[in-house]
Amino acid sequence: MVSRVRVWLNRTYAENVFFMDQLRRNPSDRAVEIHATHGDADSPVLAAADTADLEPEGLSPAGYVEYALDQCQRRGIDVFVPRLHQSAIVAHRAEFEAVGTALLAPPPEAVAVFQDKVIAYEAVQAIGVPVPPWWRVRTADELVAAVEELEAGGHKACFKPASGAGGVGFRVITRSPFSMVHLTGFPTPYVQLDLVVDALRRADEPVDWLVMPRLEQPEVSVDCLTGPDNRVRLAIGRIKNGRRRGFTLHEQWLGPARRIAEGFGLHYLSNIQFRMFGEKPVLMDVNTRPAGGLHQLSLCGVNVPWLAVQLALGEDPGEVAPPFLGQDYTVVSGPRPLRPVSIPQQRTEAEEPLLPAVPAPASVDSVGSAAAQALPL
Protein backbone atom coordinates (compact mmCIF):
# COMPACT_ATOMS: atom_id res chain seq x y z
CA MET A 1 0.00 0.00 0.00
CA VAL A 2 1.30 3.46 -0.90
CA SER A 3 1.89 5.52 2.22
CA ARG A 4 0.32 8.91 2.81
CA VAL A 5 2.31 12.06 2.04
CA ARG A 6 2.62 14.56 4.87
CA VAL A 7 3.13 18.17 3.71
CA TRP A 8 3.82 21.23 5.89
CA LEU A 9 3.17 24.86 4.90
CA ASN A 10 4.53 27.46 7.33
CA ARG A 11 3.09 30.96 7.79
CA THR A 12 1.87 31.19 4.24
CA TYR A 13 -0.66 33.35 2.41
CA ALA A 14 -4.38 32.80 3.01
CA GLU A 15 -4.85 32.06 -0.68
CA ASN A 16 -2.82 28.87 -0.29
CA VAL A 17 -5.92 27.15 1.04
CA PHE A 18 -6.43 26.37 -2.65
CA PHE A 19 -2.89 24.95 -2.89
CA MET A 20 -3.90 22.60 -0.05
CA ASP A 21 -7.18 21.68 -1.74
CA GLN A 22 -5.31 20.68 -4.89
CA LEU A 23 -2.87 18.49 -2.99
CA ARG A 24 -5.79 16.52 -1.56
CA ARG A 25 -7.45 16.21 -4.98
CA ASN A 26 -4.28 14.92 -6.66
CA PRO A 27 -4.65 12.81 -9.83
CA SER A 28 -2.53 10.03 -8.29
CA ASP A 29 -5.29 9.52 -5.71
CA ARG A 30 -2.57 9.55 -3.06
CA ALA A 31 -3.51 10.21 0.55
CA VAL A 32 -2.17 13.63 1.57
CA GLU A 33 -2.18 15.00 5.09
CA ILE A 34 -1.42 18.68 5.58
CA HIS A 35 0.18 20.37 8.56
CA ALA A 36 0.08 24.17 8.79
CA THR A 37 1.59 26.71 11.16
CA HIS A 38 0.94 30.41 11.43
CA GLY A 39 1.27 33.32 13.83
CA ASP A 40 -2.43 34.20 13.47
CA ALA A 41 -4.83 31.75 15.11
CA ASP A 42 -7.56 32.93 12.71
CA SER A 43 -5.62 32.19 9.53
CA PRO A 44 -7.83 30.20 7.14
CA VAL A 45 -4.77 28.10 6.33
CA LEU A 46 -4.89 26.67 9.85
CA ALA A 47 -8.57 25.84 9.42
CA ALA A 48 -7.88 24.08 6.12
CA ALA A 49 -5.13 21.88 7.55
CA ASP A 50 -5.47 18.43 9.10
CA THR A 51 -3.21 19.48 11.97
CA ALA A 52 -2.07 22.95 12.91
CA ASP A 53 0.14 24.80 15.38
CA LEU A 54 0.57 28.42 16.34
CA GLU A 55 4.13 29.51 15.63
CA PRO A 56 6.20 30.97 18.46
CA GLU A 57 6.85 34.68 18.08
CA GLY A 58 10.21 36.39 18.26
CA LEU A 59 12.41 33.57 16.99
CA SER A 60 15.60 34.52 15.18
CA PRO A 61 16.14 32.86 11.78
CA ALA A 62 18.48 30.35 13.44
CA GLY A 63 15.94 29.72 16.19
CA TYR A 64 13.23 29.22 13.59
CA VAL A 65 15.34 26.59 11.82
CA GLU A 66 15.56 24.64 15.07
CA TYR A 67 11.80 24.98 15.52
CA ALA A 68 11.23 23.79 11.93
CA LEU A 69 13.50 20.76 12.31
CA ASP A 70 11.63 19.78 15.45
CA GLN A 71 8.26 20.14 13.68
CA CYS A 72 9.44 17.99 10.78
CA GLN A 73 10.76 15.26 13.02
CA ARG A 74 7.81 15.17 15.42
CA ARG A 75 5.18 15.45 12.70
CA GLY A 76 6.81 13.07 10.24
CA ILE A 77 6.86 15.69 7.48
CA ASP A 78 7.73 14.34 4.03
CA VAL A 79 7.68 17.67 2.15
CA PHE A 80 8.13 21.12 3.72
CA VAL A 81 7.06 24.20 1.70
CA PRO A 82 8.78 27.08 3.54
CA ARG A 83 7.80 30.71 3.08
CA LEU A 84 8.78 32.36 6.37
CA HIS A 85 12.59 32.35 6.84
CA GLN A 86 13.04 30.53 3.54
CA SER A 87 16.67 31.60 3.13
CA ALA A 88 17.68 30.34 6.58
CA ILE A 89 15.83 27.06 6.12
CA VAL A 90 17.30 26.14 2.72
CA ALA A 91 20.81 26.66 4.09
CA HIS A 92 20.14 23.61 6.31
CA ARG A 93 18.75 21.32 3.61
CA ALA A 94 21.00 18.40 4.63
CA GLU A 95 19.69 18.54 8.20
CA PHE A 96 16.10 18.38 6.99
CA GLU A 97 16.96 15.48 4.70
CA ALA A 98 18.51 13.71 7.71
CA VAL A 99 15.11 13.71 9.46
CA GLY A 100 13.36 12.52 6.28
CA THR A 101 12.02 15.87 5.01
CA ALA A 102 12.42 17.20 1.47
CA LEU A 103 12.40 20.99 1.08
CA LEU A 104 10.20 22.28 -1.72
CA ALA A 105 12.37 25.36 -2.24
CA PRO A 106 15.42 26.41 -4.28
CA PRO A 107 19.01 26.10 -3.03
CA PRO A 108 20.40 28.94 -0.88
CA GLU A 109 22.41 30.49 -3.73
CA ALA A 110 19.27 30.99 -5.83
CA VAL A 111 17.26 32.38 -2.92
CA ALA A 112 20.05 34.85 -2.09
CA VAL A 113 20.13 36.32 -5.61
CA PHE A 114 16.45 37.25 -5.53
CA GLN A 115 16.23 38.57 -1.98
CA ASP A 116 17.61 41.91 -3.15
CA LYS A 117 15.96 43.37 -6.25
CA VAL A 118 19.06 45.32 -7.28
CA ILE A 119 21.24 42.20 -7.18
CA ALA A 120 18.47 40.34 -9.03
CA TYR A 121 18.22 42.93 -11.80
CA GLU A 122 21.99 42.99 -12.27
CA ALA A 123 22.12 39.19 -12.37
CA VAL A 124 19.31 38.69 -14.91
CA GLN A 125 20.67 41.48 -17.12
CA ALA A 126 23.92 39.54 -17.28
CA ILE A 127 22.12 36.57 -18.86
CA GLY A 128 20.28 38.73 -21.38
CA VAL A 129 16.87 39.24 -19.75
CA PRO A 130 15.60 42.84 -20.19
CA VAL A 131 14.92 44.87 -17.04
CA PRO A 132 13.54 48.42 -16.64
CA PRO A 133 15.82 51.33 -15.77
CA TRP A 134 16.27 51.54 -12.01
CA TRP A 135 17.99 53.55 -9.30
CA ARG A 136 18.83 52.42 -5.79
CA VAL A 137 18.13 55.31 -3.43
CA ARG A 138 18.75 55.83 0.28
CA THR A 139 18.27 59.57 0.73
CA ALA A 140 15.84 62.33 -0.23
CA ASP A 141 18.32 63.87 -2.67
CA GLU A 142 18.88 60.55 -4.43
CA LEU A 143 15.12 60.08 -4.70
CA VAL A 144 14.56 63.51 -6.24
CA ALA A 145 17.37 62.98 -8.75
CA ALA A 146 15.94 59.61 -9.85
CA VAL A 147 12.39 60.97 -10.14
CA GLU A 148 13.51 63.97 -12.18
CA GLU A 149 15.45 61.77 -14.59
CA LEU A 150 12.45 59.48 -15.09
CA GLU A 151 10.04 62.36 -15.55
CA ALA A 152 12.38 63.98 -18.08
CA GLY A 153 12.00 60.80 -20.13
CA GLY A 154 8.20 61.01 -19.94
CA HIS A 155 7.73 58.30 -17.29
CA LYS A 156 5.87 58.13 -13.99
CA ALA A 157 8.22 57.25 -11.15
CA CYS A 158 7.46 54.63 -8.52
CA PHE A 159 9.41 53.07 -5.68
CA LYS A 160 9.40 49.93 -3.56
CA PRO A 161 11.72 48.34 -1.00
CA ALA A 162 14.84 46.74 -2.48
CA SER A 163 13.96 43.70 -0.39
CA GLY A 164 10.32 42.83 0.06
CA ALA A 165 7.40 40.79 -1.24
CA GLY A 166 3.72 41.01 -1.97
CA GLY A 167 3.72 44.62 -3.14
CA VAL A 168 4.38 45.92 0.40
CA GLY A 169 5.75 49.48 0.27
CA PHE A 170 5.01 50.06 -3.44
CA ARG A 171 4.07 53.67 -4.20
CA VAL A 172 3.72 55.83 -7.32
CA ILE A 173 5.10 59.39 -7.19
CA THR A 174 2.85 62.31 -8.10
CA ARG A 175 3.51 66.07 -8.20
CA SER A 176 -0.15 66.92 -7.58
CA PRO A 177 -0.51 68.78 -4.26
CA PHE A 178 -2.39 67.02 -1.49
CA SER A 179 -6.03 68.12 -1.59
CA MET A 180 -9.56 66.98 -0.92
CA VAL A 181 -9.35 64.95 -4.11
CA HIS A 182 -7.09 62.53 -2.22
CA LEU A 183 -9.60 62.22 0.62
CA THR A 184 -12.54 61.14 -1.51
CA GLY A 185 -13.05 57.80 -3.17
CA PHE A 186 -10.81 54.83 -2.53
CA PRO A 187 -7.15 55.06 -1.43
CA THR A 188 -4.59 54.77 -4.23
CA PRO A 189 -0.86 53.97 -4.36
CA TYR A 190 -0.11 57.58 -5.41
CA VAL A 191 1.90 59.66 -2.94
CA GLN A 192 3.03 63.29 -3.20
CA LEU A 193 6.75 63.77 -3.85
CA ASP A 194 7.04 66.64 -1.36
CA LEU A 195 5.53 64.50 1.41
CA VAL A 196 7.94 61.66 0.68
CA VAL A 197 10.94 63.99 0.63
CA ASP A 198 9.88 65.56 3.90
CA ALA A 199 9.45 62.13 5.52
CA LEU A 200 12.88 61.03 4.30
CA ARG A 201 14.58 64.14 5.64
CA ARG A 202 12.99 63.55 9.05
CA ALA A 203 13.70 59.80 9.12
CA ASP A 204 16.16 58.47 11.67
CA GLU A 205 17.70 55.99 9.24
CA PRO A 206 18.22 55.86 5.46
CA VAL A 207 15.80 53.84 3.37
CA ASP A 208 16.75 51.20 0.80
CA TRP A 209 14.42 51.71 -2.15
CA LEU A 210 14.35 50.81 -5.80
CA VAL A 211 13.07 53.68 -7.98
CA MET A 212 11.91 52.82 -11.48
CA PRO A 213 9.33 53.79 -14.10
CA ARG A 214 5.79 52.66 -13.52
CA LEU A 215 5.43 49.69 -15.85
CA GLU A 216 2.33 49.15 -17.94
CA GLN A 217 -0.08 46.24 -18.29
CA PRO A 218 -0.43 43.48 -19.12
CA GLU A 219 1.33 41.87 -16.20
CA VAL A 220 2.33 38.28 -16.94
CA SER A 221 3.26 35.97 -14.06
CA VAL A 222 5.01 32.85 -15.31
CA ASP A 223 4.70 29.91 -12.91
CA CYS A 224 7.65 27.55 -13.35
CA LEU A 225 8.24 24.03 -12.09
CA THR A 226 11.96 23.27 -12.25
CA GLY A 227 13.79 20.08 -11.31
CA PRO A 228 16.97 19.76 -9.22
CA ASP A 229 18.73 19.23 -12.56
CA ASN A 230 17.90 22.89 -13.44
CA ARG A 231 15.53 21.82 -16.22
CA VAL A 232 12.06 23.38 -16.36
CA ARG A 233 9.27 20.78 -16.37
CA LEU A 234 6.36 23.21 -16.76
CA ALA A 235 5.92 26.93 -17.50
CA ILE A 236 2.60 28.72 -17.96
CA GLY A 237 1.98 32.46 -17.98
CA ARG A 238 -0.98 34.02 -16.19
CA ILE A 239 -2.02 37.32 -17.79
CA LYS A 240 -3.47 40.15 -15.68
CA ASN A 241 -4.99 43.12 -17.44
CA GLY A 242 -7.25 45.00 -15.06
CA ARG A 243 -9.89 42.60 -13.80
CA ARG A 244 -9.49 40.30 -16.79
CA ARG A 245 -7.21 37.29 -16.39
CA GLY A 246 -6.07 34.67 -18.86
CA PHE A 247 -3.23 32.33 -19.79
CA THR A 248 -0.39 32.34 -22.31
CA LEU A 249 2.33 30.07 -23.67
CA HIS A 250 3.90 32.83 -25.78
CA GLU A 251 7.68 32.63 -25.86
CA GLN A 252 8.14 36.37 -25.30
CA TRP A 253 7.16 35.61 -21.70
CA LEU A 254 8.08 31.96 -21.24
CA GLY A 255 11.51 32.20 -22.89
CA PRO A 256 12.98 34.73 -20.41
CA ALA A 257 11.27 32.96 -17.50
CA ARG A 258 12.86 29.63 -18.43
CA ARG A 259 16.24 31.34 -18.81
CA ILE A 260 15.96 32.69 -15.26
CA ALA A 261 14.59 29.51 -13.69
CA GLU A 262 17.19 27.28 -15.31
CA GLY A 263 20.08 29.76 -15.18
CA PHE A 264 19.76 30.38 -11.44
CA GLY A 265 18.50 26.96 -10.35
CA LEU A 266 15.07 28.03 -9.11
CA HIS A 267 14.19 24.47 -8.16
CA TYR A 268 10.58 23.40 -7.66
CA LEU A 269 8.10 26.30 -7.74
CA SER A 270 8.93 29.87 -8.71
CA ASN A 271 6.96 32.80 -10.07
CA ILE A 272 8.56 35.23 -12.52
CA GLN A 273 6.70 38.46 -13.27
CA PHE A 274 6.92 40.71 -16.32
CA ARG A 275 5.32 43.98 -17.40
CA MET A 276 5.64 46.29 -20.37
CA PHE A 277 8.19 49.09 -20.65
CA GLY A 278 7.20 50.86 -23.83
CA GLU A 279 6.76 48.16 -26.45
CA LYS A 280 8.85 45.43 -24.79
CA PRO A 281 8.32 43.10 -21.84
CA VAL A 282 10.76 43.52 -18.97
CA LEU A 283 11.29 41.68 -15.72
CA MET A 284 9.37 43.07 -12.76
CA ASP A 285 10.02 40.57 -9.97
CA VAL A 286 11.03 37.00 -9.15
CA ASN A 287 9.50 34.98 -6.32
CA THR A 288 11.38 31.88 -5.15
CA ARG A 289 8.17 30.37 -3.76
CA PRO A 290 4.78 29.26 -5.06
CA ALA A 291 2.62 32.19 -6.16
CA GLY A 292 -0.63 32.82 -4.33
CA GLY A 293 -2.48 32.45 -7.63
CA LEU A 294 -0.82 29.16 -8.61
CA HIS A 295 -4.09 27.27 -8.13
CA GLN A 296 -5.57 29.20 -11.06
CA LEU A 297 -3.59 26.92 -13.40
CA SER A 298 -6.18 24.25 -12.62
CA LEU A 299 -8.24 26.04 -15.29
CA CYS A 300 -5.62 24.72 -17.74
CA GLY A 301 -6.08 21.12 -16.60
CA VAL A 302 -2.91 20.83 -14.50
CA ASN A 303 -2.42 20.29 -10.76
CA VAL A 304 0.90 22.07 -10.27
CA PRO A 305 1.11 21.78 -6.45
CA TRP A 306 0.95 17.99 -6.75
CA LEU A 307 3.50 17.92 -9.59
CA ALA A 308 5.86 19.88 -7.33
CA VAL A 309 5.36 17.50 -4.41
CA GLN A 310 6.01 14.54 -6.70
CA LEU A 311 9.22 16.17 -7.88
CA ALA A 312 10.33 16.86 -4.29
CA LEU A 313 9.72 13.19 -3.44
CA GLY A 314 11.92 12.09 -6.35
CA GLU A 315 8.95 11.01 -8.49
CA ASP A 316 9.86 13.04 -11.57
CA PRO A 317 6.74 13.75 -13.67
CA GLY A 318 8.89 14.71 -16.67
CA GLU A 319 8.04 17.62 -18.92
CA VAL A 320 4.38 18.58 -18.60
CA ALA A 321 2.35 20.58 -21.12
CA PRO A 322 -1.10 21.86 -20.22
CA PRO A 323 -3.75 19.94 -22.17
CA PHE A 324 -5.51 23.24 -22.92
CA LEU A 325 -5.48 26.91 -21.90
CA GLY A 326 -8.45 27.98 -19.82
CA GLN A 327 -10.76 30.76 -20.93
CA ASP A 328 -10.50 34.28 -19.55
CA TYR A 329 -11.65 34.68 -15.97
CA THR A 330 -11.68 37.06 -13.03
CA VAL A 331 -10.98 36.66 -9.32
CA VAL A 332 -13.74 37.07 -6.73
CA SER A 333 -13.88 36.83 -2.94
CA GLY A 334 -15.60 34.07 -1.04
CA PRO A 335 -15.94 32.82 2.54
CA ARG A 336 -13.65 30.23 4.11
CA PRO A 337 -14.24 28.54 7.48
CA LEU A 338 -12.16 29.33 10.55
CA ARG A 339 -11.30 27.13 13.48
CA PRO A 340 -13.98 27.55 16.15
CA VAL A 341 -11.41 28.19 18.88
CA SER A 342 -8.31 30.35 19.01
CA ILE A 343 -5.95 27.43 19.68
CA PRO A 344 -6.18 24.96 16.77
CA GLN A 345 -7.51 21.59 17.82
CA GLN A 346 -5.08 18.73 17.30
CA ARG A 347 -5.67 15.10 16.55
CA THR A 348 -3.42 12.30 17.76
CA GLU A 349 -1.55 9.98 15.44
CA ALA A 350 -3.82 7.14 16.59
CA GLU A 351 -6.89 8.83 15.20
CA GLU A 352 -8.03 8.45 11.62
CA PRO A 353 -7.34 11.43 9.30
CA LEU A 354 -10.24 13.86 9.35
CA LEU A 355 -11.43 16.46 6.94
CA PRO A 356 -10.70 20.01 8.19
CA ALA A 357 -13.15 21.06 10.87
CA VAL A 358 -16.01 23.20 9.54
CA PRO A 359 -17.38 25.45 12.27
CA ALA A 360 -20.89 26.80 12.50
CA PRO A 361 -21.78 29.49 9.94
CA ALA A 362 -21.47 32.19 12.60
CA SER A 363 -17.71 31.72 12.62
CA VAL A 364 -17.30 31.96 8.87
CA ASP A 365 -15.71 35.36 8.52
CA SER A 366 -12.55 34.69 6.54
CA VAL A 367 -12.26 35.75 2.93
CA GLY A 368 -10.24 33.86 0.34
CA SER A 369 -10.05 34.21 -3.46
CA ALA A 370 -11.43 31.96 -6.16
CA ALA A 371 -11.05 31.90 -9.90
CA ALA A 372 -14.39 32.37 -11.62
CA GLN A 373 -15.61 32.80 -15.16
CA ALA A 374 -15.14 36.37 -16.27
CA LEU A 375 -18.11 38.70 -16.33
CA PRO A 376 -18.33 41.55 -18.83
CA LEU A 377 -15.89 44.26 -17.81
Side-chain angles (χ1 to χ4, degrees), residues 135 141-155 157 173 175 193 211:
W135 290 259
D141 290 341
E142 290 176 348
L143 173 69
V144 171
V147 170
E148 288 179 346
E149 190 162 347
L150 280 167
E151 290 178 342
H155 305 292
I173 292 289
R175 299 272 188 168
L193 178 60
V211 176

Side-chain angles (χ1 to χ4, degrees), residues 10 12 20 33 45 58 61 84-85 108 115 156 163 197 202 214 225 231 246 248 255 263-264 280 287 347 377:
N10 76 334
T12 191
M20 299 158 75
E33 192 172 291
V45 172
L84 182 66
H85 293 309
Q115 278 187 307
K156 286 185 183 296
S163 298
V197 169
R202 291 186 288 106
R214 185 182 186 186
L225 175 65
R231 184 166 54 84
T248 181
F264 294 99
K280 70 175 183 179
N287 294 309
R347 71 174 183 82
L377 299 180

Side-chain angles (χ1 to χ4, degrees), residues 62-349:
Y64 193 91
V65 170
E66 292 301 315
Y67 163 78
L69 283 165
D70 178 68
Q71 285 277 314
C72 289
Q73 191 161 25
R74 286 194 303 107
R75 297 284 185 176
I77 302 299
D78 299 299
V79 178
F80 177 20
V81 187
R83 190 202 66 82
L84 182 66
H85 293 309
Q86 186 191 64
S87 60
I89 288 164
V90 296
H92 294 266
R93 188 180 299 270
E95 294 168 51
F96 283 94
E97 290 175 349
V99 299
T101 302
L103 295 182
L104 202 154
E109 300 81 11
V111 174
V113 169
F114 297 102
Q115 278 187 307
D116 185 300
K117 292 178 174 58
V118 170
I119 294 172
Y121 277 10
E122 291 174 340
V124 300
Q125 266 188 305
I127 64 169
V129 175
V131 301
W134 52 268
W135 290 259
R136 188 172 208 155
V137 307
R138 292 185 170 87
T139 67
D141 290 341
E142 290 176 348
L143 173 69
V144 171
V147 170
E148 288 179 346
E149 190 162 347
L150 280 167
E151 290 178 342
H155 305 292
K156 286 185 183 296
C158 62
F159 65 86
K160 57 187 175 181
S163 298
V168 175
F170 172 80
R171 299 292 186 273
V172 181
I173 292 289
T174 179
R175 299 272 188 168
S176 302
F178 188 79
S179 69
M180 288 302 297
V181 171
H182 301 97
L183 299 177
T184 58
F186 292 102
T188 75
Y190 284 86
V191 63
Q192 286 67 34
L193 178 60
D194 58 335
L195 298 181
V196 179
V197 169
D198 181 60
L200 285 176
R201 295 200 194 285
R202 291 186 288 106
D204 295 329
E205 296 179 357
V207 296
D208 188 9
W209 288 346
L210 196 69
V211 176
M212 55 193 292
R214 185 182 186 186
L215 303 175
E216 300 302 324
Q217 293 184 337
E219 178 180 320
V220 177
S221 293
V222 181
D223 294 303
C224 292
L225 175 65
T226 307
D229 58 358
N230 294 347
R231 184 166 54 84
V232 169
R233 305 299 196 270
L234 174 93
I236 304 175
R238 289 183 286 116
I239 305 170
K240 303 177 186 178
N241 202 340
R243 290 180 59 188
R244 183 170 291 275
R245 311 291 179 93
F247 303 100
T248 181
L249 296 177
H250 199 291
E251 278 300 306
Q252 73 170 336
W253 312 106
L254 269 58
R258 285 197 196 94
R259 202 176 315 157
I260 292 170
E262 295 180 344
F264 294 99
L266 295 180
H267 301 167
Y268 306 110
L269 292 171
S270 60
N271 175 255
I272 303 169
Q273 301 169 358
F274 301 90
R275 273 198 175 220
M276 300 300 292
F277 179 59
E279 298 298 317
K280 70 175 183 179
V282 293
L283 179 71
M284 185 170 70
D285 210 351
V286 175
N287 294 309
T288 60
R289 53 166 175 77
L294 181 69
H295 63 279
Q296 294 163 13
L297 296 185
S298 64
L299 298 177
C300 297
V302 287
N303 186 329
V304 183
W306 178 245
L307 291 171
V309 166
Q310 284 185 297
L311 196 54
L313 292 172
E315 304 166 6
D316 194 336
E319 291 192 20
V320 179
F324 53 85
L325 291 184
Q327 69 183 73
D328 285 1
Y329 64 103
T330 190
V331 172
V332 297
S333 296
R336 295 288 299 199
L338 293 181
R339 295 255 175 186
V341 292
S342 60
I343 304 299
Q345 183 179 352
Q346 301 299 301
R347 71 174 183 82
T348 66
E349 291 300 315

